[in-house]
Amino acid sequence: MATSGKSAAVSHVGKIRSNNQDSGYAGRYLFVVADGMGGHAGGDVASAIAVKRIAETDRQYTSPNDAEFALHAALLAANSLLAETVFEHGELTGMGTTVSGILRVENQVAIAHIGDSRIYLFRDGELKQISADHTFVQRLVDSGRITAEEAAVHPRRSVLMRVLGDVDASPEIDTTVLETKPGDRWLICSDGLSSYVSDEKMASVLGTVPDTEDAANRLVKESLDQGAPDNVTVVLVDVDDTGDSSHIPPVTVGSAASPLVFEADSTRRPLRLPSLLLHPLKATQTDDSHFEPESDEYLNTLILEDRRRARRRRISWLVFVAVVLAAIVAAAVLGYQFTQTRYYVGVDNGQVAIFQGVQQDIGPIKLSHVVEATTIGVDRLTAFNRQSVETTISANTLADAHRIVDRLTG
Ligand code: CA
């Protein structure tokens, strides 16, 4: 029996960007997400060209290896097409795109991937990232220089090492074939989802929203709830064995859903000042993805940056500790000064004495001292007065304390 199922594709421009450079495709056997880059002109064109070209492989294959070969060839063909397009339209120079796709052959999937869009498999309640990010920060994680948690918030996390575009005639594409079975949910998404919505949140949506379309929409909504600084694209594939879904018409979303327009963007878009002011941190953190050819020099720059950042963090921490210590000392001094405005009458060496300060001590620190001794022995006092003096009698001022002493003997 043919293992088939339902799928959904959703793409959203997000809350900050002015155009959607992502493209998505949910076809009969093929499912793809592409995230374009290239500044104001190009990113949307790049992902659209790639997805339209790769969509041509959406047909039934006799073996998963054939499908893997066809998918790999389609990505290479898309790469050549991007180079040709840049050759004819110079204004598109530097455009590129990620591509993550799966091509299903019954109960197996062929996978092809380049860039930092992601392919996840949700199976038995667990979400597993299948694709590896071709980013510099992932390289730093792999070499043990930073942790995955640090990579997730790294300011240069969108710098890519590998993409399709006009930069490399033979790009390094990851391909593989994996088993799939009824109940599997394959999630393909752009970093507009994975950078802002945690794996736990994605897993919780996939585990609780059974309908394919609803789940895809919920995932996009999760990113929007986080402010969606980037374009968000989700293609979700539910594998089941209820029958053949190959009659369902393919869905294209994002920039590939619109006709291609190659026009130089001669007018620079104004800086989006309001969003910069509202989210200064986010606006700088979500700079366009860009491609850096793999080089040790760039890697070293990133490592140096990380060291500088760590040093800055250490210095901030030291300053914080110093400020807290200063505050504690100031509070102690003020507190001590306050205690020294108080007086009480008590006993010192068997005689009535006036003390400055308060009766309580803090550990070894005495908060009071005798300011005036008297020659009145406590054994001369009445039993009541003696007891009062032994438990001490508070006074607001020194004059007050004198009056108390007079009263004791009067
Ligand atoms: Ca993106």
Side-chain angles (χ1 to χ4, degrees), residues 226-250:
Q226 298 297 317
D230 196 1
N231 309 143
V232 197
T233 300
V234 168
V235 171
L236 185 60
V237 187
D238 274 321
V239 178
D240 62 26
D241 54 5
T242 56
D244 191 359
S245 65
S246 60
H247 59 281
I248 298 172

Side-chain angles (χ1 to χ4, degrees), residues 22 35 190-192 230-231 289:
D22 285 359
D35 176 352
S190 61
D191 65 338
D230 196 1
N231 309 143
S289 294

Side-chain angles (χ1 to χ4, degrees), residues 80 111 198 327:
S80 305
I111 289 174
S198 68

Side-chain angles (χ1 to χ4, degrees), residues 35-93:
D35 176 352
M37 70 201 65
H40 296 320
D44 45 352
V45 177
S47 73
I49 287 178
V51 162
K52 282 170 196 266
R53 175 61 188 82
I54 295 162
E56 291 173 22
T57 60
D58 187 12
R59 53 188 182 79
Q60 200 160 13
Y61 290 84
T62 47
S63 83
N65 290 338
D66 285 354
E68 183 187 18
F69 183 83
L71 196 52
H72 186 242
L75 263 71
L76 289 177
N79 191 63
S80 305
L81 198 51
L82 290 170
E84 283 165 31
T85 309
V86 166
F87 184 72
E88 286 162 17
H89 303 270
E91 74 275 11
L92 298 174
T93 301

